[in-house]
Amino acid sequence: MDSQIRLGRIFGIEIGLHYSWFIIALLITLSLAEHFYQTNPAWGRGLSWALAVLTALLFFAAIVAHELAHSVVAKTRGLPVRSITLFALGGVSRIEKESPDAKTEFWMAVAGPIASAVAGLLFLGLAVAGDWKPLATPTTPAMAMLVWLGYINLMLAAFNLIPGYPLDGGRVLRAIVWWVTGNAARSTRIAARAGQVVAMAFIAIGLLQFFGGAGLGGLWIAFIGWFLLDAARATFAQSEITERLGGLRVGDVMTRDCPVIDGRTNLQSFADEHLLRTGQRCFIVADNGVLAGLITAHEVKQVERRKWPFTLVDDVMRPLDQLRTVGAEAAVIEALEVMGREDVNQLPVVSNGRLDGIITRAHILQLLQTRSELRV
């Protein structure tokens, strides 16, 4: 999930917001304002609202700390982390590679709940230091804020430890099964199946609560379950793809006979004589016989049609030195991960500075379809 609003960087990791975050931020603030006013009417609406806004901001800061814990462990284990995004259901870290072993997976997964638990205990500890008695109703705005933050962070830690993928507990389960069996693919499938069971339980509980009079609270639980179910199914499907592509190298799948186009060709001629006539969507660009870059239908679409006759392929191509490339000996699943990460449909295959071919999503999908038909 990409950020639409960038907030800055912490430890070199970009922090951002998805637009859906504003929905949950508003709902939490409204809920807190009403909660503080109902429990302490003497505070008045203004103070209750100010306290609600501050509490909500600190809560989301705690979610960032939860995700940062995952990300910092990942970085210390050599896994690149692109960003952390807050969205309607919390936060998500974009870690660009899968864990290389069960130990890394375990510590990455458990770091988030540990951070939330520590934050919860810290907030409650500060409340106790301010003369709050456990289970008592807070009597001051600061104490009310600290107690709520303490409880919600402990609940967040407990919720995330539920053993169903993609929750942190599901990743802990995956790490344990991986360590016991030595099979990463099998551990992912087991964790994903557990995630589906947990998600369906959430949906059932939420619907029962909704029809039992719980209102939007029940629907919210069902919605969380639906989100978890969708993520668990996607994880299971990804695991099957990984297993089917296991052992295959890019050189086995790539196209070696790449169409070449002269960089001095204008876009109108390129579209009419190549894109529209051959159905090919990716072409190597050459200048005086020297490979210069890559052009696809995507680059052509970025130029107004009326400008096509006056725009050269050289003007809009992606230069070869700016392209993300992959080696012929790389695993096919690695190339697929790079395409997803970079949001491209093809990758040049380069060895020793020489272009060997191109691998595309279409090649991989055709291979998967063939293997599925033959049940391989």
Side-chain angles (χ1 to χ4, degrees):
M1 181 173 291
D2 293 325
S3 303
Q4 273 87 39
I5 300 175
R6 296 177 180 177
L7 301 179
R9 288 181 174 272
I10 302 177
F11 302 132
I13 302 168
E14 183 180 288
I15 312 295
L17 300 177
H18 186 268
Y19 288 142
S20 62
W21 174 84
F22 290 98
I23 299 173
I24 191 63
L26 177 61
L27 289 175
I28 287 178
T29 304
L30 287 170
S31 175
L32 282 171
E34 189 62 24
H35 167 72
F36 290 142
Y37 182 73
Q38 291 293 332
T39 54
N40 294 276
W43 293 351
R45 290 286 184 184
L47 179 56
S48 296
W49 268 99
L51 186 61
V53 171
L54 179 58
T55 304
L57 290 175
L58 287 174
F59 171 58
F60 287 112
I63 291 179
V64 172
H66 177 110
E67 294 301 327
L68 272 174
H70 291 307
S71 300
V72 168
V73 172
K75 292 191 75 171
T76 59
R77 296 279 178 167
L79 302 179
V81 182
R82 174 172 291 187
S83 63
I84 292 173
T85 302
L86 295 179
F87 70 115
L89 293 179
V92 60
S93 301
R94 288 193 64 181
I95 300 172
E96 298 190 350
K97 289 185 178 180
E98 286 292 323
S99 302
D101 51 60
K103 184 178 179 180
T104 299
E105 177 76 353
F106 176 83
W107 286 113
M108 277 175 52
V110 81
I114 289 175
S116 292
V118 169
L121 292 174
L122 176 62
F123 285 125
L124 290 178
L126 290 173
V128 169
D131 292 331
W132 172 72
K133 303 300 181 185
L135 303 181
T137 300
T139 55
T140 67
M143 195 175 294
M145 178 182 68
L146 290 172
V147 170
W148 188 89
L149 287 169
Y151 282 145
I152 200 67
N153 275 284
L154 290 176
M155 291 172 62
L156 182 64
F159 172 76
N160 273 281
L161 284 175
I162 294 173
Y165 208 87
L167 294 173
D168 296 334
R171 301 189 75 98
V172 171
L173 174 63
R174 177 178 183 250
I176 293 171
V177 175
W178 188 355
W179 179 73
V180 171
T181 65
N183 189 320
R186 182 183 177 190
S187 66
T188 302
R189 287 197 299 273
I190 291 173
R193 285 298 191 201
Q196 292 179 41
V197 172
V198 168
M200 287 187 284
F202 267 78
I203 293 171
I205 292 170
L207 291 176
L208 286 173
Q209 288 191 356
F210 174 73
F211 290 113
L216 290 177
L219 279 183
W220 185 249
I221 293 173
F223 177 72
I224 292 174
W226 171 81
F227 174 82
L228 293 176
L229 181 61
D230 186 61
R233 283 174 172 169
T235 300
F236 190 87
Q238 179 65 34
S239 175
E240 289 194 322
I241 289 173
T242 300
E243 192 165 26
R244 285 180 176 174
L245 295 177
L248 289 176
R249 300 295 173 184
V250 168
D252 302 325
V253 182
M254 70 182 185
T255 295
R256 298 180 183 275
D257 186 17
C258 304
V260 179
I261 185 75
D262 192 317
R264 293 165 295 184
T265 306
N266 66 60
L267 292 188
Q268 186 68 60
S269 299
F270 172 57
D272 292 341
E273 299 174 14
H274 298 277
L275 282 178
L276 300 177
R277 181 170 296 179
T278 67
Q280 291 273 1
R281 295 181 57 84
C282 180
F283 291 80
I284 298 297
V285 181
D287 286 333
N288 298 319
V290 179
L291 299 178
L294 195 72
I295 186 167
T296 69
H298 176 76
E299 283 74 41
V300 177
K301 287 190 299 182
Q302 305 307 307
V303 180
E304 294 180 42
R305 186 177 291 269
R306 62 184 178 83
K307 295 182 179 179
W308 285 5
F310 316 107
T311 306
L312 300 181
V313 167
D314 273 343
D315 298 329
V316 298
M317 71 172 186
R318 285 178 289 166
L320 201 60
D321 59 0
Q322 295 180 15
L323 292 173
R324 184 63 186 268
T325 63
V326 67
E329 294 302 313
V332 170
I333 192 64
E334 179 184 332
L336 191 59
E337 289 174 357
V338 172
M339 289 182 205
R341 203 161 54 234
E342 302 294 330
D343 193 25
V344 296
N345 292 315
Q346 61 284 310
L347 290 173
V349 183
V350 177
S351 299
N352 299 319
R354 179 175 55 84
L355 183 72
D356 291 335
I358 288 180
I359 184 170
T360 70
R361 289 180 192 263
H363 295 142
I364 298 173
L365 289 175
Q366 287 172 5
L367 176 63
L368 286 171
Q369 184 177 4
T370 300
R371 291 196 156 210
S372 178
E373 289 174 356
L374 298 177
R375 299 181 180 178
V376 177

